[in-house]
Amino acid sequence: MNELYLFALANAALCACVLMISVCRLNGMHGSVLLRVRSEYAGYIGAAVLSALQPWWGEWPQWGSVGMASALLLGLLCSSHAWHGDRAPAVATDRGDLRNMDGSAI
């Protein structure tokens, strides 16, 4: 049983980090940020809360939950350079142009 408590604690800590980063990024978004980007971070918040609280209804996290939370946190940390200055990157606020790799328009 102690092993389950350690998994739950590790999962809750990872989910708390995901939750904090997601809330901060959502707070830094302005009205012109695409709805799909805002929805993505809202989904991260919901998933992190549900994953962290799953022991309350008898589902104990193990390697799979900890691995998924770790992967999500790693992805958020790797994209931190785009969010420097607590501002949404340009790709999150504007639709991409349709260009080929050589720069010519489609």
Side-chain angles (χ1 to χ4, degrees), residues 4-5 16 20 23 37-38 44 49 51 54 56 58 62 64 68 70 72 74 79 82 85 90 92 94 99-100 105:
L4 293 178
Y5 291 149
M20 183 182 72
V23 166
V37 176
R38 290 183 293 202
Y44 290 165
V49 169
S51 183
Q54 66 182 339
W56 283 8
Q62 290 189 1
M68 287 298 291
S70 299
L72 182 55
L74 180 65
S79 67
D94 194 16
R99 298 202 177 268
N100 290 329

Side-chain angles (χ1 to χ4, degrees), residues 2 4 10 21 31 43 54 60 72 78 90 101:
N2 287 337
L4 293 178
I21 292 171
Q54 66 182 339
W60 292 93
L72 182 55
C78 288
M101 293 296 288

Side-chain angles (χ1 to χ4, degrees), residues 18-39:
V18 168
L19 181 68
M20 183 182 72
I21 292 171
S22 298
V23 166
C24 288
R25 288 188 183 177
L26 237 133
N27 188 41
M29 293 182 191
H30 44 81
S32 65
V33 174
L34 298 173
L35 179 61
R36 66 176 177 249
V37 176
R38 290 183 293 202
S39 300

Side-chain angles (χ1 to χ4, degrees), residues 82-103:
W83 289 85
H84 183 72
D86 202 23
R87 298 191 63 214
V91 71
T93 59
D94 194 16
R95 301 201 173 12
D97 59 345
L98 298 175
R99 298 202 177 268
N100 290 329
M101 293 296 288
D102 63 0

Side-chain angles (χ1 to χ4, degrees), residues 42-67:
Y44 290 165
I45 291 170
V49 169
L50 284 176
S51 183
L53 298 180
Q54 66 182 339
W56 283 8
W57 55 82
E59 294 180 11
W60 292 93
Q62 290 189 1
W63 289 111
S65 294
V66 172

